[in-house]
Amino acid sequence: MLWEHVARVRFSAPRHFDIFMNAIEVKNLVKKYGGKTAVNGISFEIKKGEFFGFLGPNGAGKTTTINSITGIGKFDAGEIKVFGLDVVRDYREARKKIGLSPQEFNMDFFRTVYKTLDFVGGYFGMRKPEREKRMEYLFSELGLRPYKNTQFRALSGGFKRRVMLARAMMHDPEILILDEPTAGVDVELRRDLWRILTELNRKGKTIFLTTHYLEEAQRLCDRIGIIFNGKIVALESKAELVKDGKSVEDHYLHYAELEKNGASV
C-alpha cells in the first residue's frame, strides 16, 4: 500500500550540496510589467545539490523569477547564471541544465503519457534508444507504467502532477524547478511526491521549489527565501530560520503581517 511505503520514509532534507559551486546565481534581477515592478532587484544563489524553497503569496514575483531563469520571459535588468552559463547569452546550454514543472498544466491534453515524454526527449536531442531507456526509468520511478498509453486528460490530478514531473526529468537535467508541484494533490500522493523529490535530491539533483504548503517547505528544503511584493525579505538556511523555535509558517505569517500593515520588511 502507498501509505505503508510512505510511512517508512523520513522526509528530512539531505545536506550533501556543494558549497563551492552555484547551480543558479541571480543578481539584481528586475522585471517590470508596464508601470508595475514585479521583481525589484533581487539577488540569491542556489548551491549545486541544494533543495531551495521560494515562498511568497500570489503575485509576489515567484513565477516571474522562474520565467526569467528559464528564458520563458525576458527581464529588464540584472544577471542570471546557471552553472556559470549566462541565461541570455548562453540560453541553449543553460536551458538544457533545467527541467521545469510549471504550476499550470501546459500539456497537450489529448497526447498520451508515452508520446508526451518521447516528444520532450526528442526536443532535447535524445536518440530513440536513449529515450526509451529514460522513459522506462521514469515510468517505474513515478508509478506511471500503467498509464503510459493514457491521454493526459484522463489522468487524476495527482497523476497529472507526476507526468509534469516526468516531463521535467525526461532529459535528466541537473536542476529541477518545480512551481507548486503538489497543488491540488491529495495527502497520500503529496507525501509520495515528497518521497520522490527527497530521493532525487539525495541523488544530487538541485531542486528549486515554490509552494503554498509551508509545512512542505519545512520538511523538504535546506534553505528558504521569502518574497513579498518583488523583494526578498528573508533568505537563510531552514535551521537558522527556525532556531528560535518558531516554524517556517510562523516566520512567513510574521512577514505577511508586516506587509499587510505597510511596514518595511
Side-chain angles (χ1 to χ4, degrees), residues 8-189:
R8 294 194 296 267
V9 180
R10 294 187 64 186
F11 297 110
S12 56
R15 298 294 181 268
H16 303 304
F17 53 88
D18 188 338
I19 63 172
F20 300 108
M21 181 177 291
N22 290 325
I24 297 174
E25 299 175 68
V26 176
K27 295 181 180 178
N28 304 314
L29 178 65
V30 175
K31 174 62 182 178
K32 298 179 180 181
Y33 295 102
K36 176 178 172 55
T37 301
V39 175
N40 192 0
I42 67 171
S43 299
F44 63 92
E45 299 171 349
I46 301 175
K47 299 298 181 183
K48 178 182 178 182
E50 189 172 25
F51 204 135
F52 180 79
F54 201 43
L55 310 180
N58 291 330
K62 303 186 303 299
T63 299
T64 296
T65 300
I66 288 173
N67 289 347
S68 298
I69 294 170
T70 57
I72 293 174
K74 294 182 179 180
F75 49 93
D76 297 297
E79 181 182 54
I80 303 175
K81 291 184 179 181
V82 173
F83 285 104
L85 298 165
D86 187 283
V87 299
V88 176
R89 291 193 303 269
D90 307 309
Y91 170 74
R92 288 180 180 271
E93 290 305 311
R95 185 63 183 84
K96 287 179 183 178
K97 294 185 177 295
I98 298 172
L100 172 65
S101 179
Q103 183 177 352
E104 304 298 329
F105 291 136
N106 60 344
M107 292 277 196
D108 181 340
F109 274 59
F110 294 91
R111 184 173 285 172
T112 65
V113 175
Y114 176 94
K115 288 183 177 179
T116 295
L117 299 186
D118 191 52
F119 174 82
V120 171
Y123 176 84
F124 281 101
M126 300 170 70
R127 295 186 177 276
K128 188 68 172 179
E130 185 183 4
R131 298 201 302 270
E132 292 286 346
K133 182 178 180 180
R134 183 65 177 168
M135 282 190 287
E136 280 303 308
Y137 166 78
L138 292 173
F139 292 151
S140 175
E141 187 75 7
L142 300 179
L144 290 170
R145 183 169 284 111
Y147 307 100
K148 69 177 186 178
N149 294 316
T150 302
Q151 291 181 345
F152 186 78
R153 64 174 180 156
L155 297 170
S156 68
F159 278 93
K160 283 186 173 79
R161 288 292 172 194
R162 291 185 189 218
V163 175
M164 298 284 283
L165 180 56
R167 184 181 65 172
M169 294 172 58
M170 180 62 194
H171 63 295
D172 198 16
E174 295 184 60
I175 301 168
L176 288 175
I177 296 182
L178 311 175
D179 195 1
E180 303 286 345
T182 62
V185 174
D186 66 44
V187 173
E188 288 189 29
L189 283 174

Side-chain angles (χ1 to χ4, degrees), residues 222 235-246 251:
D222 300 305
L235 181 64
E236 51 194 325
S237 71
K238 179 177 65 181
E240 187 68 20
L241 190 65
V242 302
K243 71 178 183 180
D244 59 0
K246 295 181 180 179
H251 285 277

